[in-house]
Amino acid sequence: MYQIDLKNPCTVYFMGIGGISMSGFAKLLHANGFTVKGSDSQESKITRQLASLGINIIYGQTAQNITDDIDLVVYTAAIHPDNPEFMAAQEKGIPMMERAVMVGQVMKNYKNAIGISGTHGKTTTTSMLSHIFLTAEKDPTISVGGILDAIQGNIRIGHSENFITEACEYTNSFLKFFPTAEIILNIDADHLDFFKDIDDIRHSFKEYTKLLPEDGVLVINADIPNYQEIISGLSCKVITFGLESDAEYTATNISFDEKGDGVFELVHNGKNTGEMIHLNVIGKHNIANALSAIALSSYYDIPMEQIKKGLAAFAGTERRFELKGSFNGVTVVDDYAHHPTEIKATLQAAQKYPHKHLWCVFQPHTYSRTRALLKEFAEALSHAENIILADIYAAREADPGDISSRTLQDEIKKLGKDAYYFSDFEDIKKFLLKNCIDGDLLITMGAGNVVNIGEDLVK
């Protein structure tokens, strides 16, 4: 296995360099003195930014791009073995590694390598923890799966022994990591196009915990059903947090301010600490996320005053209950929620946000997820007063012909709730312009391009 050593730069070629994660690590290696170049199918804001740093970007992927001076090729899961660059690198015998392996290799260069995992909340919690470490002047290197204003992007290159990254379970990517500290936020049934069932997912998270060294630390949500099974046999330190169960870090006197932002008193080892934590993000789910960040920050001896300042400074990331503006007095918010647990948490949080009527435009993400969790989607969406469904966003899948947004509409109606379905975004916009009134709250929701609806209305 090729080992990336930040103290010994070499020449690295990124296939698919314009991706959000790939571009971040291209910047990281470039900043550490590596010669970085790469290819992508088309020019974008990201590739233009990389080029402005002096990184050589090639558009289109041909065998000629793979030159003899390249020491390592990094590729994404979207690159197939019949790709001409992939085949050329193999023929030349150049070491190759998939993106997740590269992230793991980079983690090996840091004493404190923190991997934040869970079916939901990874980006938010990574951002919360990043804010705390920045406030405490820990100078962390950060890789986050969204755009974080505090670091003006998705990557921050620090000069300390602290590395903070999201750790995604899809395709078992996080099993290629080398963490010394982990957070497990939750474990739900998702990505069922890859995992067989919830037991298969739990098994992967269990394997993830086994990556921790004896002197490492695991922060885990005690509200996860039978979480003890996940931590059994571990020799590292385990710290628990939660809202419903007995845990080392929990919350009491929970309230929400006029914007729906969470306020709570921290409880540690069963004792009220008297520390009131004020968040700048909405919802009970974000109180749980904050507890995990508090637990890990406390483990690293960050003073509570700096933890509180860091959490208060975090006002959310792109596409996580992101305020987009308004039209005709209607407030427009966009949210990335695409799993029933996330949808329910966001809609329940939205109830605390000032509004007359709550509208949710939902775009299901992938056929397999919609089919597997159909009843759960219907129940979660029923927490909105008015539900509008767009067509399923296929993402990586082909239409199987046996599941559609109309199927979900029928399931919602079985719960005694009305739902509207439109196959065209323009029809959705016309319907909203006609029916939303001054003081309403509109949430566009999903991991696809549904965000365009709200943005167009605001324009």
Side-chain angles (χ1 to χ4, degrees):
M1 170 65 73
Y2 191 92
Q3 173 60 52
I4 294 175
D5 182 357
L6 297 184
K7 293 186 177 69
N8 290 300
C10 62
T11 299
V12 182
Y13 188 92
F14 285 78
M15 295 171 62
I17 198 166
I20 191 86
S21 177
M22 291 281 272
S23 62
F25 281 90
K27 288 180 199 169
L28 174 64
L29 295 184
H30 176 74
N32 278 279
F34 286 66
T35 301
V36 176
K37 47 189 175 178
S39 61
D40 216 297
S41 56
Q42 57 191 26
E43 188 179 3
S44 67
K45 183 180 175 184
I46 290 175
T47 60
R48 285 192 294 273
Q49 187 195 27
L50 292 173
S52 73
L53 297 173
I55 294 173
N56 182 19
I57 308 291
I58 303 165
Y59 297 104
Q61 296 179 329
T62 64
Q64 288 74 29
N65 298 342
I66 306 301
T67 50
D68 293 335
D69 61 327
I70 296 169
D71 299 303
L72 173 68
V73 169
V74 179
Y75 59 95
T76 68
I79 300 293
H80 299 293
D82 60 353
N83 180 288
E85 288 185 342
F86 191 98
M87 290 192 295
Q90 278 190 323
E91 284 170 17
K92 287 179 178 289
I94 298 170
M96 301 172 71
M97 64 174 64
E98 199 258 327
R99 184 201 64 85
V101 176
M102 173 206 55
V103 177
Q105 293 288 310
V106 169
M107 290 176 91
K108 278 187 172 184
N109 290 268
Y110 295 87
K111 182 184 174 186
N112 302 317
I114 302 165
I116 295 161
S117 70
T119 324
H120 331 286
K122 290 184 289 292
T123 298
T124 295
T125 307
T126 302
S127 302
M128 285 178 170
L129 194 67
S130 297
H131 267 272
I132 293 169
F133 271 62
L134 290 168
T135 301
E137 298 182 350
K138 294 283 187 182
D139 192 19
T141 294
I142 299 164
S143 171
V144 63
I147 303 302
L148 182 60
D149 285 345
I151 61 174
Q152 298 178 316
N154 66 314
I155 195 92
R156 179 188 189 271
I157 296 140
H159 302 90
S160 71
E161 293 183 319
N162 302 309
F163 179 79
I164 303 171
T165 187
E166 289 184 36
C168 184
E169 75 279 8
Y170 186 53
T171 67
N172 282 328
S173 289
F174 62 178
L175 298 187
K176 300 176 177 79
F177 287 8
F178 291 89
T180 62
E182 293 176 358
I183 290 176
I184 297 181
L185 297 164
N186 38 62
I187 305 174
D188 272 338
D190 196 12
H191 300 305
L192 296 172
D193 57 329
F194 176 77
F195 295 108
K196 291 196 290 288
D197 50 29
I198 186 63
D199 291 332
D200 192 21
I201 297 166
R202 285 175 65 91
H203 175 262
S204 284
F205 276 94
K206 170 84 176 168
E207 291 299 305
Y208 179 57
T209 66
K210 291 179 184 176
L211 301 176
L212 286 165
E214 281 189 20
D215 61 350
V217 61
L218 170 67
V219 174
I220 188 168
N221 191 344
D223 297 337
I224 294 169
N226 191 17
Y227 82 91
Q228 295 88 347
E229 178 197 18
I230 305 295
I231 65 172
S232 66
L234 292 181
S235 54
C236 67
K237 183 175 180 61
V238 176
I239 301 170
T240 58
F241 72 96
L243 292 173
E244 313 298 334
S245 314
D246 287 335
E248 289 170 65
Y249 288 86
T250 186
T252 190
N253 298 324
I254 294 172
S255 63
F256 299 91
D257 67 16
E258 67 283 353
K259 291 191 300 170
D261 295 341
V263 180
F264 64 95
E265 184 181 352
L266 181 66
V267 177
H268 183 224
N269 289 330
K271 294 179 182 174
N272 289 24
T273 63
E275 298 284 359
M276 294 303 296
I277 312 293
H278 294 258
L279 302 182
N280 206 1
V281 285
I282 73 163
K284 198 172 179 182
H285 60 296
N286 276 322
I287 293 175
N289 291 337
L291 285 171
S292 74
I294 292 167
L296 190 58
S297 300
S298 300
Y299 170 81
Y300 285 115
D301 296 323
I302 295 175
M304 186 53 64
E305 215 44 52
Q306 291 179 330
I307 292 173
K308 286 162 70 172
K309 272 187 195 169
L311 287 172
F314 172 62
T317 58
E318 199 175 76
R319 302 218 61 198
R320 269 72 176 180
F321 209 84
E322 182 187 6
L323 189 63
K324 305 300 285 190
S326 64
F327 70 95
N328 303 342
V330 178
T331 301
V332 179
V333 166
D334 179 64
D335 198 277
Y336 192 69
H338 55 285
H339 183 281
T341 303
E342 298 164 349
I343 293 165
K344 188 173 181 179
T346 301
L347 292 177
Q348 286 179 334
Q351 303 290 356
K352 308 267 194 317
Y353 194 91
H355 67 277
K356 284 182 183 171
H357 306 105
L358 176 59
W359 295 78
C360 177
V361 179
F362 179 62
Q363 180 185 42
H365 190 263
T366 73
Y367 300 101
S368 59
R369 184 184 283 119
T370 308
R371 186 196 294 107
L373 303 171
L374 186 68
K375 290 185 188 302
E376 291 87 345
F377 273 117
E379 195 283 322
L381 286 164
S382 70
H383 289 268
E385 286 172 73
N386 305 284
I387 307 155
I388 299 166
L389 301 174
D391 276 329
I392 294 172
Y393 189 82
R396 54 191 172 265
E397 297 180 345
D399 185 351
D402 61 351
I403 185 78
S404 72
S405 289
R406 284 201 184 278
T407 322
L408 179 54
Q409 182 187 30
D410 293 340
E411 202 65 36
I412 293 168
K413 286 182 176 177
K414 286 180 191 174
L415 299 174
K417 195 91 185 178
D418 221 357
Y420 303 92
Y421 161 72
F422 299 96
S423 61
D424 187 79
F425 277 10
E426 289 305 315
D427 290 336
I428 293 175
K429 284 183 269 188
K430 285 175 193 168
F431 182 83
L432 292 168
L433 283 165
K434 184 179 176 184
N435 291 281
C436 291
I437 62 169
D438 187 353
D440 283 358
L441 173 61
L442 167 65
I443 304 178
T444 56
M445 189 178 282
N449 60 344
V450 67
V451 59
N452 297 346
I453 292 172
E455 288 181 343
D456 288 348
L457 288 169
V458 167
K459 283 174 190 167

